[in-house]
């Protein structure tokens, strides 16, 4: 090999020797990482609550009578169960089924007899405004509408009356109270409620006539559990 050929080979080697390093330096592929969608937990039952109440009817039932020397028997204890929802921090509503009163009257003089029995139930939809919470105490006011169901039977041999009757009548309620949170999801409720059914008929034992209009003044204690 002559001198000219050796010089050409040396120049060729010198020209191509940096090419791999240059290519390696220029090639920098980007790395694509697929983003994982953010996981958002779903709250099951958020805003819903369960409630139970027991109460006392302050005023007398129309069947709570003393007539002909005989007193009627009955209970002023009432109660109910319901489910509700917190629409906002200050407004909530619930639906309740409750028992209002049970009364029974039995009288006889050995010849004539008067026997009467009444049971009254309620189904109400209520709304409440919570007026803010201070030290765990939340005062509220409320109102509701619904129906009363009355089952009544009367047998009066003296007046010749024998009657079996079932009624449904429109009712409304007004109330106020104070709730106290005893645990994270649990509140105790003390309140007053007025329930009225202006169109509900009842049998007036002393006069032996049908009258219309029942109302109840109630003191109630309840327990509310939030399903958070």
């Amino acid at each position: 090999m002559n001198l000219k050929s050796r010089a050409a080979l040396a120049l060729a080697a010198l020209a191509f020797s940096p090419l791999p390093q240059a290519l390696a330096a220029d090639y920098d592929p980007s790395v694509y990482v697929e983003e994982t969608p953010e996981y958002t937990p779903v709250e099951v039952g958020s805003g819903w609550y369960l409630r139970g109440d027991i109460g006392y009817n302050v005023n007398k039932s129309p069947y709570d009578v003393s007539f002909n020397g005989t007193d009627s028997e009955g209970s002023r204890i009432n109660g109910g169960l319901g489910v509700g929802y917190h629409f906002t921090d200050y407004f909530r509503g619930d639906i309740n089924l409750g028992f209002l009163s049970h009364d029974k009257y039995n009288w006889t003089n050995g010849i004539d007899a008067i026997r009467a029995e009444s049971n009254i139930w309620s189904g109400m939809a209520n709304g409440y405004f919570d007026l803010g919470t201070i030290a765990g105490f939340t005062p509220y006011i409320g109102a509701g509408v619904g129906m009363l169901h009355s089952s009544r039977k009367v047998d009066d041999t003296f007046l010749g009356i024998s009657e079996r009757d079932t009624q449904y009548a429109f009712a409304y309620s007004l109330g106020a109270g104070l709730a106290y949170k005893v645990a994270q999801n649990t509140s105790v409720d003390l309140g007053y409620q007025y329930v009225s059914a202006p169109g509900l008929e009842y049998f007036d034992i002393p006069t032996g006539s049908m009258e219309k209009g029942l109302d109840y003044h109630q003191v109630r204690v309840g327990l509310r559990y939030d399903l958070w």
Side-chain angles (χ1 to χ4, degrees):
M1 181 179 295
N2 56 31
L3 182 60
K4 184 183 287 186
S5 299
R6 289 180 180 177
L9 289 175
L11 289 174
L14 183 62
F16 287 100
S17 61
L19 183 60
Q21 290 84 350
L23 291 175
D26 293 338
Y27 180 70
D28 187 14
S30 59
V31 179
Y32 175 73
V33 178
E34 184 177 358
E35 292 185 1
T36 304
E38 184 179 354
Y39 173 72
T40 302
V42 178
E43 295 183 355
V44 179
S46 178
W48 293 94
Y49 64 86
L50 302 176
R51 67 174 302 152
D53 300 271
I54 187 169
Y56 179 79
N57 295 327
V58 178
N59 60 320
K60 292 175 58 176
S61 162
Y63 293 104
D64 185 358
V65 297
S66 179
F67 180 63
N68 286 343
T70 301
D71 295 330
S72 62
E73 300 175 2
S75 174
R76 295 193 182 190
I77 302 299
N78 60 72
L81 296 173
V83 58
Y85 186 76
H86 293 272
F87 295 96
T88 69
D89 290 340
Y90 299 98
F91 179 72
R92 56 187 167 88
D94 55 45
I95 297 176
N96 285 274
L97 297 177
F99 176 73
L100 287 182
S101 65
H102 166 76
D103 295 282
K104 181 184 293 185
Y105 178 81
N106 286 300
W107 169 86
T108 182
N109 61 3
I111 301 174
D112 293 311
I114 300 176
R115 294 182 176 86
E117 184 174 354
S118 170
N119 292 283
I120 300 178
W121 299 76
S122 67
M124 304 291 291
N126 305 297
Y128 308 91
F129 287 99
D130 292 324
L131 306 178
T133 301
I134 301 176
F137 291 93
T138 305
Y140 66 86
I141 56 175
V145 294
M147 302 287 290
L148 296 192
H149 171 266
S150 170
S151 61
R152 181 185 69 242
K153 60 182 181 180
V154 178
D155 294 298
D156 188 339
T157 61
F158 182 76
L159 296 176
I161 296 173
S162 182
E163 180 187 44
R164 302 290 185 274
D165 184 56
T166 298
Q167 294 182 72
Y168 291 90
F170 168 79
Y172 66 90
S173 67
L174 300 171
L178 185 68
Y180 179 71
K181 181 171 285 189
V182 295
Q184 181 177 0
N185 292 0
T186 306
S187 298
V188 174
D189 189 320
L190 175 63
Y192 161 81
Q193 183 171 250
Y194 170 73
V195 180
S196 177
L200 188 67
E201 295 182 339
Y202 66 94
F203 181 76
D204 187 64
I205 295 174
T207 64
S209 62
M210 296 300 299
E211 302 292 340
K212 185 180 290 187
L214 282 181
D215 57 12
Y216 297 88
H217 296 270
Q218 304 173 335
V219 177
R220 302 173 68 87
V221 177
L223 191 68
R224 189 169 72 240
Y225 181 76
D226 295 322
L227 300 176
W228 299 112

